[in-house]
Amino acid sequence: MAPARDRRTGFSRRRQYGVFMGYVLAVAGAVVGLVLLVASTFNPPAFSALRMGVAGVTAPVSTGLATVGSGIAGIPEAIGQYFFVKQENVALRADRDRTRALLMRARTIAYDNRRLRSLLAIRDRAAEPVVTARLVSSSASSGRRYALLNAGRWSGVKPGMPVRGPDGLIGRVVETGPNAARVLLLSDGDSIVPVRRTRDGLPAIAAGRGDGMVDIRSVNATNVRFNAGDLFVTTGTGGIYGPGVPVARVAKAGSDSVMARTFADPDTLDFALVENVFMPVPPPRPIAQQ
């Protein structure tokens, strides 16, 4: 029976040097990683340029992977729509007939509102869109909640711009690179958005929890009762977000501070709209020379 091959380094200097260098590289990598972790914890802005540089390189790859993933995920839905399109058409026609009266009433109210606004000379300031970009990734498992857009300074994206999806507000841009931007999500612990309740205009604050949800906190009042299902939209206060953008829905009834779920889920979104700041800060007035 042939003896088993000896896997120890033995007296081979080449193997000894190889094992030694492997240990040295492993220890050096661990030390460098620890130093970078400590530095990023105590001084996050120092790594902003490095982060956005890496994001600019990885954004095209993430865009391709997101496109392929969304295409594969849409195959079952397309098959289901193909087989059940007749039933869906029947249901849509029935809904149309039921809501026709409500639609006519809504059109009448909208016409009256436009006429009254023209009589009162009221001007609505709407946020202007900058670019439509793809959300290629989001941090769903870390303590911080960010998302990555595949559009940056080349597309006119600047820090502070609000980002929204088809269902509601997503967050705001905090960092930009040439072709990528980092978005602070509503659920992040540093996110605070002034909101109001749709049914009575009650002012409140939507503060991120860091776990995918937000807290709705009352302002200027105590013992405020929140009901499950209460809807909250932006107020326009602060000048960043335009008024009337859906933000969150209360998940469970409570008083003063309750937990709510955001309308826009970054993990299920493909595209997002970047808008200009609702009320930009005016430039400083020039100092008159003496």
Side-chain angles (χ1 to χ4, degrees), residues 136-210:
V136 296
S137 64
S138 62
S139 56
S141 58
S142 64
R144 302 304 304 273
R145 300 287 166 160
Y146 293 101
L148 184 66
L149 279 174
N150 66 343
R153 291 193 298 268
W154 291 344
S155 302
V157 180
K158 300 178 182 178
M161 288 184 171
V163 181
R164 60 178 299 179
D167 299 327
L169 190 65
I170 297 175
R172 71 178 189 273
V173 177
V174 291
E175 294 177 356
T176 58
N179 62 337
R182 205 173 185 216
V183 179
L184 180 73
L185 302 179
L186 292 178
S187 57
D188 187 84
D190 289 343
S191 175
I192 297 178
V193 180
V195 295
R196 63 176 176 84
R197 190 160 56 186
T198 55
R199 61 184 173 90
D200 57 2
L202 175 74
I205 293 293
R209 295 168 49 94

Side-chain angles (χ1 to χ4, degrees), residues 60-110:
V61 179
S62 300
T63 301
L65 294 177
T67 303
V68 174
S70 60
I72 295 176
I75 292 177
E77 182 180 359
I79 295 175
Q81 290 180 354
Y82 176 79
F83 285 104
F84 297 102
V85 64
K86 184 176 180 180
Q87 291 83 346
E88 291 179 356
N89 286 336
V90 172
L92 287 174
R93 291 192 183 97
D95 291 339
R96 181 195 61 188
D97 295 336
R98 286 193 300 267
T99 58
R100 183 172 295 170
L102 294 177
L103 180 61
M104 295 300 297
R105 182 180 178 184
R107 287 177 177 174
T108 303
I109 294 175

Side-chain angles (χ1 to χ4, degrees), residues 117 124-127 162 164 169 186 192-206 216-220 231-248 278-279:
R117 286 178 179 273
D124 290 329
R125 187 183 183 93
R164 60 178 299 179
L169 190 65
L186 292 178
I192 297 178
V193 180
V195 295
R196 63 176 176 84
R197 190 160 56 186
T198 55
R199 61 184 173 90
D200 57 2
L202 175 74
I205 293 293
I216 302 296
R217 304 169 185 171
S218 62
V219 295
N220 301 330
L231 306 180
F232 286 85
V233 298
T234 56
T235 62
T237 304
I240 297 179
Y241 310 103
V245 181
V247 175
F278 175 59
M279 292 288 289

Side-chain angles (χ1 to χ4, degrees), residues 26-48:
V27 173
V31 172
V32 171
L34 180 61
V35 171
L36 293 176
L37 178 61
V38 173
S40 63
T41 301
F42 290 96
N43 189 16
F47 290 86
S48 176

